[in-house]
Amino acid sequence: MGNNALKTAAKGSVNTLNALRRRFAPRRVFLYAPDAGPDVADLEQRIRFYFGDDIRITHLKSPAPTWLLAHGPVLTFRPKDAPPVPLFQQALGVFDVNFRTNSIEAWNWFDAEVFLNGSPDPAVSRRNYDAWKRRVLAEGHRQATIFGTGPSLARAIERDWSQDIRLVCNTIVRDAELWHHIAPHAVVAGDGLYHYGPTEFARTFRADLLKRLRESPDTVFIYPDLFHSLVAREIQIEPERLIPIRRGTAHTVHATLKDDFALPALGNVLNQLLLPIACDLSKSVRLWGFDGRAPSDVLFWSNSNKHSYPELMHTLREHHPAFFDHFVPAHDPESYVRAVHGDVLEHCLSQAEQQGWHFEMLHKSWTPTLSRRLAPDVEPAQ
């Protein structure tokens, strides 16, 4: 039996054990945080946000092999110099949630939640997605336009988008006027920190998202299935309009939904959600609101202030310090942008273009990959 077969068999066994545990064991998490100090109270608040007020919290006093027999996820607050949690322990339910040292702790919380409660049924998601796709394609639009939240998004209200399939992302929901002008077929959001966390920034986003979805009964919300438990709890609309999709293993954007009905194993909302959905609906994809990172920008890149929450950014940085220290380091603040919008994005678009897709950037962009695909009447960024 090969390594992949062994991994698949092991994962199947763990899933079977987890299903039995969820059926018969009480809802409980275990917290091992001997070095957390005053952060313990904060950790308990976060636990209740991610798992619900009815969750039982058991504090562990020492690490021990009995972790592996625990009837629930083990959350650890590992010291900065501690080695990463071994993969076999992660598979068996041990998750590092030290927000001061672990840059991906926001996602680990959701991995732990899925370990406890399970994932949504992919067959239901596929059925709802296919029904929505048929409705969209029946409108007869020949091209899809995807919208980012860069400063140029504010100018989208000057154009008529009614002849396009329209896909928007995350904090555009703040602006009701532009939302209804675009009248999106779908909205997406994929960041465990900005969109699904307990901060005031993320909570405000979800409240605005719910308002816009209730105002637009034909719009669906598409997102990674990792976040489904929180979405189902907070976004109270018709369940068929909530479409969680699992993350697959592909590193392409043009065929993952058709072939495997999975999101690609790529970072950033553009690569992971907007492009795969747009490519599944049309071979002609246009982009608006992807200004890229200008030389004067701070953090990742600038957003349109009218379509984000700049006054609440501090809540993200205070709640998830390790994330920003890692992904926007002071010595190389452009590292993340290069990683997701550099060679990876270029490779994905080139692969799709070889298979007949066409991409067109509708205004100037500081992202070289997109600037190489400017519409003929657009001047490049200087």
Side-chain angles (χ1 to χ4, degrees):
M1 184 180 292
N3 287 336
N4 289 336
L6 286 171
K7 290 179 181 178
T8 300
K11 185 176 181 179
S13 299
V14 170
N15 289 341
T16 300
L17 291 173
N18 282 342
L20 291 171
R21 172 187 52 74
R22 286 192 288 270
R23 183 173 181 180
F24 297 109
R27 296 185 72 254
R28 175 183 297 173
V29 298
F30 297 82
L31 179 61
Y32 177 66
D35 301 305
D39 286 326
V40 168
D42 191 348
L43 285 169
E44 290 186 348
Q45 288 184 349
R46 297 183 192 220
I47 289 171
R48 300 199 184 282
F49 167 78
Y50 289 105
F51 296 94
D53 289 334
D54 63 333
I55 194 71
R56 299 184 187 181
I57 304 173
T58 298
H59 290 264
L60 298 176
K61 295 183 178 180
S62 63
T66 53
W67 280 8
L68 305 183
L69 301 177
H71 299 299
V74 176
L75 309 174
T76 72
F77 196 84
R78 297 171 70 82
K80 186 174 183 178
D81 56 352
V85 174
L87 288 176
F88 82 92
Q89 285 192 10
Q90 292 180 41
L92 292 171
V94 181
F95 305 93
D96 178 12
V97 294
N98 189 337
F99 49 87
R100 302 198 180 281
T101 63
N102 185 355
S103 62
I104 61 169
E105 54 84 23
W107 284 263
N108 284 356
W109 285 104
F110 287 101
D111 284 330
E113 189 279 327
V114 169
F115 182 87
L116 182 68
N117 297 320
S119 298
D121 186 347
V124 173
S125 293
R126 182 65 182 265
R127 185 164 60 248
N128 291 337
Y129 178 87
D130 287 345
W132 168 76
K133 179 179 175 180
R134 286 192 296 271
R135 292 196 303 271
V136 172
L137 295 180
E139 296 180 8
H141 303 307
R142 302 176 68 178
Q143 61 192 10
T145 297
I146 56 180
F147 296 84
T149 56
S152 294
L153 179 60
R155 294 190 286 112
I157 202 163
E158 301 168 5
R159 298 179 60 142
D160 177 14
W161 305 100
S162 61
Q163 300 306 306
D164 298 6
I165 298 169
R166 303 169 300 278
L167 309 173
V168 302
C169 69
N170 49 65
T171 54
I172 191 178
V173 297
R174 182 174 193 173
D175 184 353
E177 181 184 15
L178 181 59
W179 169 277
H180 291 293
H181 175 75
I182 293 174
H185 293 92
V187 57
V188 305
D191 193 281
L193 182 148
Y194 279 75
H195 307 135
Y196 300 103
T199 64
E200 189 177 357
F201 185 108
R203 290 179 186 272
T204 303
F205 157 71
R206 294 195 298 274
D208 283 344
L209 171 65
L210 179 57
K211 291 176 186 176
R212 300 291 87 81
L213 287 171
R214 284 178 170 171
E215 295 164 0
S216 305
D218 294 327
T219 304
V220 300
F221 180 37
I222 305 176
Y223 51 95
D225 71 348
L226 183 65
F227 310 117
H228 179 66
S229 180
L230 175 65
V231 171
R233 186 167 73 238
E234 292 194 4
I235 309 301
Q236 295 291 312
I237 60 172
E238 300 85 352
E240 62 270 17
R241 295 173 59 203
L242 299 177
I243 305 179
I245 304 179
R246 69 180 181 86
R247 186 182 186 186
T249 58
H251 288 80
T252 60
V253 298
H254 60 283
T256 58
L257 288 174
K258 179 180 179 181
D259 294 345
D260 197 30
F261 194 63
L263 301 175
L266 299 170
N268 186 261
V269 69
L270 175 61
N271 301 350
Q272 186 185 51
L273 285 156
L274 288 170
L275 283 170
I277 298 168
C279 288
D280 191 48
L281 298 170
S282 175
K283 284 208 167 183
S284 176
V285 178
R286 306 194 302 170
L287 300 95
W288 186 281
F290 297 93
D291 297 68
R293 193 178 195 279
S296 60
D297 285 348
V298 296
L299 295 181
F300 295 100
W301 44 67
S302 290
N303 290 294
S304 169
N305 287 343
K306 195 176 181 181
H307 307 100
S308 186
Y309 308 97
E311 73 280 7
L312 300 178
M313 272 298 301
H314 68 96
T315 68
L316 293 174
R317 301 188 73 170
E318 292 164 1
H319 206 81
H320 306 281
F323 174 85
F324 290 94
D325 290 344
H326 178 78
F327 288 105
V328 199
H331 68 279
D332 188 10
E334 296 185 15
S335 58
Y336 178 81
V337 178
R338 290 197 305 272
V340 299
H341 288 168
D343 292 343
V344 170
L345 179 59
E346 177 62 43
H347 179 68
C348 288
L349 297 187
S350 296
Q351 277 190 313
E353 287 164 341
Q354 292 172 15
Q355 299 297 319
W357 274 266
H358 175 74
F359 303 95
E360 188 172 66
M361 184 69 215
L362 297 179
H363 58 75
K364 68 179 182 180
S365 174
W366 292 100
T367 301
T369 298
L370 301 181
S371 188
R372 284 192 282 271
R373 294 167 173 83
L374 289 179
D377 58 340
V378 177
E379 293 291 327
Q382 299 296 325

